[in-house]
């Protein structure tokens, strides 16, 4: 009876499209794909496996450019992970050593990056030889174990639950089993709401974990009991996303929305769930927010109606070679200057005087926060110094006034606009307006 009702409902309700609907949207998505290809062609940028994944999950392709990008990724990953663990001086199951810090300094897990690379390899055409992939899979299993041991000891993985989930997802997409305990650790974290961190929403992480759960269940890599728990956890995550969807249509913010949408795609809820349609409409209205390669790469798969789980079903012969790269749009010129107030805060007990810097900084209109930091450093006294690290997301603010954020202590320089709104962009992309107060705060996540 229930089944009949559900079938009837599905037949009566107009099914919505899972990809961006309509010709205008398709054209906008095509431009975004071409722009990502343009950004990928720039050799000055760090190669990022999520960019490759987005290119591979798109509707149209430029096989030569994709091949070249894959070559750059191989150059970055193969020298390190093409060797067996033993050849690299790591014992096979050295999670304990990593936990106690002996080899940890030498080999901090790169769970997320390696997972994304392996996901990308699953989507190559033609598929790569299985031989060289074996050592990559072993490395990822090793990192996941190190992360798992970290989470047993510190209550969180050494990297993050986001990277840990990516690790489980990538192994699953390659049809590799992981120990039940490793999966249970993720389930437990999900049940106890451990995915959020200070200043950041939990949506991105919750979505990656739900994708990993969906994959494990779909690929039948777990027993019936655990499969039922994973299914329930995914349903719970999807329900929470629907309940928390903002008036603006976003799940979390504009950048976490594509990740959440992947969960609806992977669980076949995209056609029937109105929240998905609202999120797609919101995304299409805000495509202008996606300017960096990393953010475009995270948005494109869902705009094509695809999730990371689809890499396992790549059909090489059906790919149209019709995409050509497009260069980045120049930023509009803005006349005049603006003045920004720059404040640096470091809470007690680390810093007894809490506010370490507070100055007005004049910069040309349209300048980025990175430009503001540069102008502050040039204007002194009082002296202002800062340090950045290159990441696939752009420059990450790693130190201010000689105080370095420490990955191992989970401290970071948080970016806020006064009084206390978290910026949704990094220092290179955020453009402050005249009179704005920007706060750099040494925080823990
Ligand atoms: C975990 C995380 C963090 C952690 C990273 C620490 C760690 N060791 O894992 C912490 C809490 C430090 C963090 C900080 C920030 N984050 Co963050 N972060 C994430 C998250 C959830 C996962 C990143 C990840 O592990 N990726 C997987 C690995 C394999 O890829 P990766 O590129 O090597 O990841 C590294 C860098 O991305 C870097 N990183 C993390 N966040 C950011 C943000 C920026 C702008 C840059 C340049 C680098 C960077 O740390 C990662 C781990 O080493 C993503 C979610 C997402 N959808 O991507 C958001 C995300 C990347 N973060 C975001 C933002 C906005 C920030 C902050 C600017 C927030 C703020 N107002 O302070 C700061 C960065 C400030 C600075 N000092 O420059 C946005 C970026 C949006 C955009 N427009 O580009 C995302 C997409 C979240 C979102 N939905 O809004 N983040």
């Amino acid at each position: 009876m229930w089944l009949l009702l559900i079938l009837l409902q599905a037949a009566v309700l107009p099914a919505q499209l899972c990809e961006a609907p309509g010709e205008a949207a398709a054209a906008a998505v095509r431009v975004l794909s071409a722009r990502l290809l343009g950004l990928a062609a720039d050799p000055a940028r760090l190669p990022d496996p999520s960019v490759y994944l987005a290119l591979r999950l798109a509707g149209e392709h430029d096989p030569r450019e994709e091949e070249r990008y894959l070559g750059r990724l191989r150059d970055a990953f193969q020298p390190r992970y093409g060797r067996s663990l033993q050849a690299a001086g790591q014992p096979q199951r050295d999670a304990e050593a990593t936990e106690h810090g002996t080899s940890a300094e030498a080999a901090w897990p790169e769970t997320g990056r390696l997972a994304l690379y392996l996901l990308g390899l699953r989507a190559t055409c033609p598929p790569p030889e299985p031989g060289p992939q074996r050592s990559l899979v072993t490395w990822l299993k090793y990192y996941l174990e190190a992360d798992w041991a970290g989470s047993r000891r510190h209550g969180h993985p050494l990297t993050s639950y986001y990277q840990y989930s990516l690790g489980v997802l990538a192994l699953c997409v390659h049809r590799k089993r992981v120990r039940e305990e490793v999966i249970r650790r993720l389930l437990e974290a999900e049940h106890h709401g451990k995915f959020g961190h200070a200043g950041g929403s939990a949506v991105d992480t919750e979505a990656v974990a739900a994708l990993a759960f969906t994959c494990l269940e779909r690929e039948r890599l777990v027993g019936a009991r655990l499969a039922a728990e994973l299914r329930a956890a995914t349903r719970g995550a999807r329900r929470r996303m629907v309940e928390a969807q903002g008036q603006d249509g976003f799940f979390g913010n504009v950048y976490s929305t594509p990740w959440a949408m992947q969960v609806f795609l992977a669980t076949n809820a995209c056609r029937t769930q109105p929240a998905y349609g609202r999120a797609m409409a919101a995304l299409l209205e805000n495509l202008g927010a996606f300017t960096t390669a990393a953010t475009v790469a995270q948005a494109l798969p869902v705009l094509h109606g695809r999730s990371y789980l689809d890499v396992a079903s790549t059909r090489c012969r059906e790919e149209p070679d019709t995409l050509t790269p497009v260069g980045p749009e120049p930023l509009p010129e803005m006349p005049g200057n603006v003045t920004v107030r720059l404040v640096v805060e470091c809470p007690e007990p680390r810093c007894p005087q809490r506010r370490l810097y507070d100055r007005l900084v004049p910069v040309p209109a349209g300048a980025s926060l990175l430009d503001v930091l540069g102008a502050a450093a040039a204007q002194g006294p009082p002296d202002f110094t800062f340090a950045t690290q290159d990441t696939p997301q752009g420059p990450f603010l790693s130190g201010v006034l000689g105080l370095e954020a420490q990955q191992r202590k989970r401290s970071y320089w948080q970016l806020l606009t006064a009084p206390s709104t978290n910026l949704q962009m990094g220092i290179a992309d955020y453009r402050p307006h005249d009179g704005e107060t920007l706060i750099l705060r040494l925080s823990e996540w």
Side-chain angles (χ1 to χ4, degrees), residues 48 50 108 110-114 116 158-160 162-163 166 197-199 201 204-205 253-257 259 289 292 294-295 298 389 391-398 407 411-416 421-427 429 445:
D48 176 359
S50 9
W108 186 258
E110 271 204 304
T111 316
R113 264 168 61 74
L114 187 53
L116 287 168
L158 293 183
T159 57
S160 62
Y162 182 94
Q163 296 201 32
L166 278 177
H197 58 77
S201 99
D204 312 70
T205 306
N253 66 16
V254 62
Y255 302 110
S256 49
T257 297
W259 262 124
T292 62
T295 53
Q298 290 190 3
Q389 267 168 16
T391 78
Q393 306 270 351
F396 181 79
L397 183 64
S398 55
Q407 153 86 18
S411 66
Y412 77 111
W413 281 100
Q414 187 179 5
L415 316 178
L416 303 121
T421 306
N422 222 14
L423 296 191
Q424 292 184 11
M425 291 175 199
I427 48 172
D429 300 304
W445 59 280

Coordinates of all heavy atoms in Angstrom, one line a residue, residues 48 50 108 110-114 116 158-160 162-163 166 197-199 201 204-205 253-257 259 289 292 294-295 298 389 391-398 407 411-416 421-427 429 445, ligand 1:
D48 N 45.4 21.0 -8.2 CA 44.5 20.7 -7.2 C 43.6 19.6 -7.7 O 42.9 19.8 -8.7 CB 43.6 22.0 -6.9 CG 42.5 21.7 -5.9 OD1 42.4 20.6 -5.4 OD2 41.8 22.7 -5.6
S50 N 40.8 18.5 -6.8 CA 39.3 18.8 -7.0 C 39.1 19.5 -8.3 O 38.0 19.4 -8.8 CB 38.7 19.6 -5.8 OG 39.6 20.1 -4.9
W108 N 53.1 14.1 8.5 CA 51.7 14.5 8.9 C 50.8 14.0 7.8 O 51.1 14.2 6.6 CB 51.7 16.1 9.0 CG 50.4 16.6 9.5 CD1 49.4 17.1 8.8 CD2 50.0 16.6 10.9 NE1 48.4 17.5 9.7 CE2 48.7 17.2 11.0 CE3 50.6 16.2 12.1 CZ2 48.1 17.4 12.2 CZ3 49.9 16.4 13.3 CH2 48.7 16.9 13.3
E110 N 48.3 13.3 4.9 CA 47.8 14.2 3.9 C 46.5 13.5 3.4 O 46.3 13.3 2.2 CB 48.8 14.3 2.7 CG 49.7 15.4 2.8 CD 50.2 15.8 1.4 OE1 50.8 14.9 0.7 OE2 50.1 17.0 1.0
T111 N 45.7 13.1 4.3 CA 44.5 12.2 4.0 C 43.6 12.9 2.9 O 43.3 12.2 1.9 CB 43.6 12.1 5.3 OG1 44.5 11.8 6.3 CG2 42.6 10.9 5.1
G112 N 43.3 14.1 3.0 CA 42.3 14.8 2.1 C 42.9 14.9 0.7 O 42.2 14.6 -0.3
R113 N 44.1 15.4 0.6 CA 44.7 15.6 -0.7 C 44.8 14.3 -1.5 O 44.5 14.2 -2.7 CB 46.0 16.3 -0.6 CG 45.9 17.8 -0.8 CD 47.2 18.5 -0.4 NE 48.4 18.1 -1.2 CZ 48.6 18.5 -2.4 NH1 47.7 19.3 -3.0 NH2 49.7 18.1 -3.1
L114 N 45.3 13.3 -0.8 CA 45.5 12.0 -1.4 C 44.2 11.4 -1.8 O 44.1 10.8 -2.9 CB 46.3 11.1 -0.4 CG 46.8 9.8 -1.0 CD1 47.6 9.9 -2.3 CD2 47.6 9.0 0.0
L116 N 41.5 13.0 -2.6 CA 40.9 13.7 -3.8 C 41.7 13.3 -5.0 O 41.1 13.1 -6.1 CB 41.1 15.2 -3.6 CG 40.1 15.9 -2.6 CD1 40.5 17.3 -2.3 CD2 38.7 15.8 -3.1
L158 N 43.8 13.6 13.3 CA 44.9 14.5 13.2 C 44.6 15.6 12.2 O 44.9 16.8 12.5 CB 46.2 13.8 12.9 CG 46.7 12.8 13.9 CD1 48.0 12.2 13.4 CD2 46.9 13.4 15.2
T159 N 44.0 15.3 11.1 CA 43.7 16.3 10.1 C 42.4 17.0 10.5 O 42.4 17.9 11.2 CB 43.7 15.7 8.6 OG1 42.7 14.7 8.6 CG2 45.1 15.2 8.2
S160 N 41.3 16.4 9.9 CA 40.0 17.0 10.3 C 39.0 15.9 9.9 O 39.3 15.0 9.1 CB 39.7 18.2 9.5 OG 39.7 18.0 8.1
Y162 N 36.6 16.4 8.0 CA 36.4 16.6 6.5 C 37.3 15.7 5.7 O 36.9 15.0 4.8 CB 36.6 18.1 6.2 CG 36.4 18.5 4.8 CD1 35.2 19.1 4.4 CD2 37.4 18.5 3.9 CE1 35.0 19.5 3.1 CE2 37.2 18.9 2.6 CZ 36.0 19.4 2.2 OH 35.8 19.9 0.9
Q163 N 38.6 15.8 6.1 CA 39.6 15.0 5.4 C 39.4 13.5 5.6 O 39.6 12.6 4.7 CB 41.0 15.4 5.7 CG 41.3 16.8 5.4 CD 42.8 17.1 5.3 OE1 43.6 16.3 4.9 NE2 43.2 18.3 5.6
L166 N 36.7 12.3 3.5 CA 37.2 12.2 2.1 C 38.0 10.9 1.9 O 37.9 10.2 0.9 CB 38.1 13.4 1.7 CG 37.4 14.7 1.3 CD1 38.5 15.7 1.0 CD2 36.6 14.5 0.0
H197 N 33.2 23.5 13.6 CA 34.3 24.0 14.4 C 34.1 25.5 14.6 O 33.3 26.1 13.9 CB 35.7 23.7 13.7 CG 35.7 24.3 12.3 ND1 36.0 25.6 12.0 CD2 35.6 23.7 11.1 CE1 36.0 25.8 10.7 NE2 35.8 24.6 10.1
A198 N 34.9 26.0 15.6 CA 34.7 27.4 15.9 C 34.8 28.3 14.7 O 35.8 28.2 13.9 CB 35.8 27.8 16.9
G199 N 33.8 29.1 14.4 CA 33.8 30.0 13.3 C 33.4 29.4 12.0 O 33.4 30.0 11.0
S201 N 30.8 26.4 9.7 CA 29.6 25.6 9.9 C 30.0 24.1 9.6 O 31.1 23.8 9.0 CB 28.6 26.1 8.9 OG 28.6 25.3 7.7
D204 N 29.7 21.4 5.3 CA 30.7 20.8 4.3 C 31.1 19.4 4.8 O 31.0 18.4 4.0 CB 31.9 21.6 4.2 CG 31.7 23.1 3.9 OD1 31.3 23.8 4.9 OD2 31.9 23.6 2.8
T205 N 31.4 19.3 6.1 CA 31.9 18.1 6.6 C 30.8 17.0 6.7 O 31.0 15.9 6.3 CB 32.5 18.3 8.0 OG1 33.5 19.3 7.9 CG2 33.2 17.0 8.6
N253 N 26.4 28.1 3.9 CA 26.6 29.3 3.1 C 26.7 28.9 1.6 O 26.5 27.7 1.2 CB 27.8 30.1 3.5 CG 29.1 29.4 3.3 OD1 29.2 28.4 2.6 ND2 30.2 29.8 4.0
V254 N 26.9 29.9 0.7 CA 26.9 29.6 -0.7 C 28.0 28.6 -1.1 O 27.8 27.8 -2.0 CB 27.2 31.0 -1.5 CG1 28.5 31.6 -1.2 CG2 27.0 30.8 -3.0
Y255 N 29.1 28.5 -0.3 CA 30.2 27.6 -0.7 C 30.0 26.2 -0.2 O 30.5 25.2 -0.7 CB 31.5 28.1 -0.2 CG 31.8 29.5 -0.7 CD1 31.8 30.7 0.1 CD2 32.1 29.7 -2.1 CE1 32.0 31.9 -0.4 CE2 32.3 31.0 -2.6 CZ 32.3 32.1 -1.8 OH 32.5 33.3 -2.3
S256 N 29.2 26.0 0.9 CA 28.9 24.7 1.4 C 27.7 24.1 0.7 O 27.6 22.8 0.7 CB 28.7 24.6 2.9 OG 27.8 25.6 3.3
T257 N 26.9 24.9 0.1 CA 25.7 24.4 -0.6 C 25.9 23.3 -1.6 O 25.2 22.3 -1.6 CB 24.9 25.6 -1.2 OG1 24.5 26.4 -0.1 CG2 23.6 25.2 -1.9
W259 N 28.2 21.1 -1.8 CA 28.6 19.8 -1.1 C 27.3 19.2 -0.6 O 27.1 18.0 -0.8 CB 29.5 20.1 0.1 CG 30.9 19.8 -0.2 CD1 31.9 20.7 0.0 CD2 31.5 18.6 -0.6 NE1 33.1 20.2 -0.3 CE2 32.9 18.9 -0.7 CE3 31.1 17.4 -1.0 CZ2 33.8 17.9 -1.2 CZ3 32.0 16.4 -1.4 CH2 33.3 16.7 -1.5
A289 N 29.7 34.5 -7.1 CA 30.5 34.3 -5.8 C 31.6 33.3 -6.1 O 32.5 33.2 -5.3 CB 29.6 33.8 -4.7
T292 N 37.3 31.6 -7.5 CA 38.5 30.9 -7.4 C 38.4 29.5 -8.0 O 37.3 29.0 -8.0 CB 39.0 30.8 -5.9 OG1 38.0 30.0 -5.2 CG2 39.1 32.2 -5.3
A294 N 39.2 26.8 -6.7 CA 38.8 25.8 -5.7 C 37.3 25.9 -5.5 O 36.6 24.9 -5.4 CB 39.5 26.1 -4.3
T295 N 36.7 27.1 -5.4 CA 35.3 27.2 -5.2 C 34.5 26.8 -6.5 O 33.5 26.1 -6.4 CB 34.8 28.6 -4.8 OG1 35.4 29.6 -5.7 CG2 35.4 29.0 -3.4
Q298 N 34.2 23.1 -6.7 CA 33.3 22.5 -5.8 C 31.8 22.7 -6.2 O 31.0 21.9 -5.9 CB 33.5 23.0 -4.3 CG 34.8 22.4 -3.7 CD 34.9 22.7 -2.2 OE1 34.0 23.2 -1.6 NE2 36.1 22.3 -1.7
Q389 N 50.6 31.1 3.5 CA 51.0 29.8 2.9 C 50.2 29.6 1.7 O 49.0 29.9 1.7 CB 50.7 28.7 3.9 CG 51.8 28.3 4.8 CD 51.3 27.4 5.9 OE1 50.3 26.8 5.9 NE2 52.2 27.3 7.0
T391 N 47.9 27.6 -0.7 CA 47.1 26.4 -0.6 C 46.3 26.4 -1.9 O 46.2 27.5 -2.6 CB 46.1 26.4 0.6 OG1 45.0 27.3 0.3 CG2 46.8 26.9 1.9
P392 N 45.7 25.3 -2.3 CA 44.8 25.3 -3.5 C 43.7 26.3 -3.4 O 43.1 26.7 -4.4 CB 44.3 23.9 -3.5 CG 45.3 23.1 -2.7 CD 45.8 24.0 -1.7
Q393 N 43.3 26.7 -2.1 CA 42.2 27.7 -2.0 C 42.7 29.1 -2.1 O 42.0 30.1 -2.1 CB 41.6 27.6 -0.6 CG 41.1 26.2 -0.2 CD 39.7 26.0 -0.6 OE1 39.0 27.0 -1.0 NE2 39.2 24.8 -0.5
G394 N 44.0 29.3 -2.3 CA 44.7 30.6 -2.3 C 45.6 30.8 -1.1 O 45.8 29.9 -0.4
P395 N 46.1 32.1 -0.9 CA 47.0 32.3 0.2 C 46.2 32.2 1.5 O 45.2 32.8 1.7 CB 47.5 33.7 0.0 CG 46.6 34.3 -1.0 CD 45.9 33.3 -1.8
F396 N 46.7 31.4 2.4 CA 46.1 31.2 3.8 C 47.0 32.0 4.7 O 48.2 31.9 4.8 CB 46.2 29.7 4.1 CG 45.7 29.3 5.4 CD1 44.3 29.1 5.6 CD2 46.5 29.0 6.5 CE1 43.8 28.7 6.8 CE2 46.0 28.5 7.7 CZ 44.6 28.4 7.8
L397 N 46.3 32.9 5.5 CA 47.0 33.7 6.5 C 47.5 32.8 7.6 O 46.8 32.3 8.4 CB 46.1 34.8 7.0 CG 46.7 35.8 8.0 CD1 47.8 36.6 7.3 CD2 45.7 36.7 8.6
S398 N 48.8 32.6 7.7 CA 49.4 31.7 8.6 C 50.1 32.3 9.9 O 50.2 31.7 10.9 CB 50.4 30.7 7.9 OG 51.4 31.5 7.3
Q407 N 49.0 24.2 13.1 CA 48.1 23.1 12.7 C 47.9 22.1 13.8 O 46.8 21.7 14.1 CB 48.7 22.5 11.4 CG 48.3 21.0 11.1 CD 47.0 20.9 10.4 OE1 46.5 21.8 9.8 NE2 46.5 19.7 10.4
S411 N 45.2 25.9 16.0 CA 45.0 27.3 16.0 C 45.0 27.9 14.6 O 45.7 27.3 13.8 CB 46.0 28.0 17.0 OG 47.3 27.9 16.4
Y412 N 44.3 29.0 14.4 CA 44.4 29.6 13.1 C 44.0 31.1 13.2 O 43.5 31.5 14.2 CB 43.4 28.9 12.1 CG 41.9 29.2 12.3 CD1 41.2 30.0 11.3 CD2 41.2 28.8 13.4 CE1 39.9 30.3 11.4 CE2 39.9 29.1 13.5 CZ 39.2 29.8 12.5 OH 37.9 30.1 12.7
W413 N 44.4 31.9 12.2 CA 44.0 33.3 12.2 C 42.7 33.4 11.5 O 42.5 33.2 10.3 CB 45.1 34.1 11.5 CG 46.3 34.3 12.3 CD1 47.5 33.7 12.3 CD2 46.4 35.3 13.4 NE1 48.3 34.1 13.3 CE2 47.6 35.2 14.0 CE3 45.5 36.3 13.9 CZ2 48.1 35.9 15.1 CZ3 45.9 37.1 15.0 CH2 47.2 36.9 15.5
Q414 N 41.7 33.7 12.4 CA 40.3 33.8 11.9 C 40.1 35.2 11.3 O 40.6 36.2 11.9 CB 39.4 33.6 13.1 CG 37.9 33.5 12.8 CD 37.1 33.3 14.0 OE1 37.6 33.2 15.1 NE2 35.8 33.1 13.8
L415 N 39.3 35.3 10.3 CA 39.1 36.6 9.6 C 37.7 37.1 9.9 O 36.7 36.3 9.6 CB 39.3 36.5 8.1 CG 40.5 35.8 7.6 CD1 40.5 35.7 6.1 CD2 41.8 36.4 8.1
L416 N 37.5 38.2 10.5 CA 36.2 38.7 10.9 C 36.0 40.2 10.4 O 37.0 40.9 10.3 CB 36.0 38.7 12.4 CG 36.2 37.3 13.0 CD1 37.2 37.4 14.1 CD2 34.9 36.8 13.7
T421 N 31.4 39.1 12.5 CA 30.9 38.2 11.4 C 32.1 37.6 10.7 O 33.1 38.2 10.3 CB 30.1 39.0 10.4 OG1 29.1 39.7 11.1 CG2 29.5 38.1 9.3
N422 N 32.0 36.3 10.6 CA 33.1 35.5 10.0 C 33.1 35.8 8.5 O 32.1 35.8 7.8 CB 32.7 34.0 10.2 CG 33.9 33.2 10.5 OD1 35.0 33.7 10.9 ND2 33.8 31.9 10.4
L423 N 34.3 36.1 7.9 CA 34.4 36.3 6.5 C 34.2 35.0 5.8 O 34.6 33.9 6.3 CB 35.7 36.9 6.1 CG 36.1 38.3 6.6 CD1 37.3 38.8 5.8 CD2 34.9 39.3 6.4
Q424 N 33.5 35.0 4.6 CA 33.3 33.7 3.9 C 34.3 33.6 2.8 O 34.2 32.8 1.9 CB 31.9 33.7 3.3 CG 30.9 33.6 4.4 CD 29.5 33.5 3.9 OE1 29.3 33.3 2.7 NE2 28.5 33.6 4.7
M425 N 35.4 34.4 2.8 CA 36.4 34.3 1.7 C 37.8 34.5 2.4 O 37.9 35.0 3.5 CB 36.2 35.5 0.7 CG 35.0 35.4 -0.1 SD 35.0 36.9 -1.1 CE 33.3 36.9 -1.5
G426 N 38.8 34.1 1.6 CA 40.1 34.3 2.1 C 40.7 35.7 1.9 O 40.0 36.5 1.3
I427 N 41.9 35.9 2.3 CA 42.5 37.3 2.3 C 42.6 37.8 0.8 O 42.5 39.0 0.6 CB 43.9 37.4 3.0 CG1 44.8 36.2 2.6 CG2 43.7 37.4 4.5 CD1 46.2 36.4 3.1
D429 N 40.7 37.2 -1.7 CA 39.4 37.4 -2.4 C 38.5 38.4 -1.8 O 37.6 39.0 -2.4 CB 38.7 36.1 -2.6 CG 39.5 35.1 -3.3 OD1 39.9 35.4 -4.5 OD2 39.9 34.0 -2.8
W445 N 40.1 26.0 16.5 CA 39.0 25.4 15.7 C 38.7 24.0 16.2 O 39.5 23.4 16.9 CB 39.2 25.5 14.2 CG 40.4 24.8 13.7 CD1 41.7 25.2 13.7 CD2 40.5 23.5 13.1 NE1 42.5 24.3 13.2 CE2 41.8 23.2 12.8 CE3 39.5 22.5 12.8 CZ2 42.2 22.0 12.1 CZ3 39.9 21.3 12.2 CH2 41.2 21.1 11.9
Ligands
LIG1 C1 38.7 22.5 7.7 C2 38.6 23.9 7.1 C3 39.2 24.9 7.7 C4 40.2 24.7 8.8 C5 41.6 24.2 8.2 C6 42.5 23.7 9.2 C7 42.9 22.3 8.9 N1 44.1 21.9 9.2 O1 42.1 21.4 8.4 C8 40.3 26.2 9.4 C9 39.4 26.3 10.6 C10 41.7 26.6 9.9 C11 39.8 27.0 8.3 C12 40.0 28.4 8.2 C13 39.3 29.2 7.3 N2 38.4 28.8 6.4 CO1 38.1 27.0 5.9 N3 37.5 25.3 5.5 C14 37.7 24.1 6.0 C15 37.0 23.0 5.2 C16 35.8 22.5 6.1 C17 37.8 21.8 4.8 C18 39.2 22.2 4.1 C19 39.9 20.9 3.7 O2 40.4 20.2 4.6 N4 40.0 20.6 2.4 C20 40.6 19.4 2.0 C21 42.1 19.6 1.7 C22 42.7 18.3 1.2 O3 42.2 20.5 0.7 P1 43.3 21.7 0.9 O4 42.9 22.7 -0.1 O5 44.6 21.2 1.0 O6 42.8 22.3 2.4 C23 43.6 23.2 3.1 C24 43.3 24.6 2.7 O7 42.1 24.7 2.1 C25 43.3 25.4 4.1 N5 42.1 26.2 4.2 C26 41.0 25.9 4.9 N6 40.1 26.8 4.8 C27 40.6 27.8 4.0 C28 40.1 29.0 3.5 C29 40.9 29.8 2.7 C30 40.3 31.0 2.2 C31 42.2 29.4 2.3 C32 43.0 30.2 1.5 C33 42.7 28.1 2.8 C34 41.9 27.4 3.6 O8 43.3 24.4 5.1 C35 43.0 23.1 4.5 C36 43.7 22.0 5.3 O9 45.1 22.2 5.4 C37 36.5 23.8 3.9 C38 35.2 23.3 3.3 C39 35.3 23.2 1.8 N7 34.1 23.1 1.2 O10 36.3 23.2 1.2 C40 36.4 25.2 4.5 C41 36.6 26.4 3.6 C42 37.7 26.1 2.5 N8 37.0 27.5 4.5 C43 36.5 28.6 4.2 C44 36.8 29.9 4.9 C45 36.0 31.1 4.5 C46 37.8 29.9 5.9 C47 38.3 31.2 6.6 C48 38.6 32.4 5.7 C49 37.2 31.5 7.7 C50 37.5 32.8 8.5 N9 36.6 33.8 8.4 O11 38.4 32.9 9.2 C51 39.5 30.6 7.4 C52 40.9 31.0 6.7 C53 41.5 32.2 7.3 C54 43.0 32.3 7.0 N10 43.8 32.3 8.0 O12 43.4 32.5 5.8 C55 35.6 28.6 3.0 C56 36.3 29.1 1.7 C57 35.4 29.8 0.8 C58 36.1 30.6 -0.3 N11 35.4 31.6 -0.7 O13 37.1 30.3 -0.7 C59 35.3 27.0 3.0 C60 34.9 26.5 1.6 C61 34.1 26.8 3.9 C62 32.8 27.4 3.5 N12 31.8 26.6 3.1 O14 32.6 28.7 3.5 N13 39.1 26.3 7.4

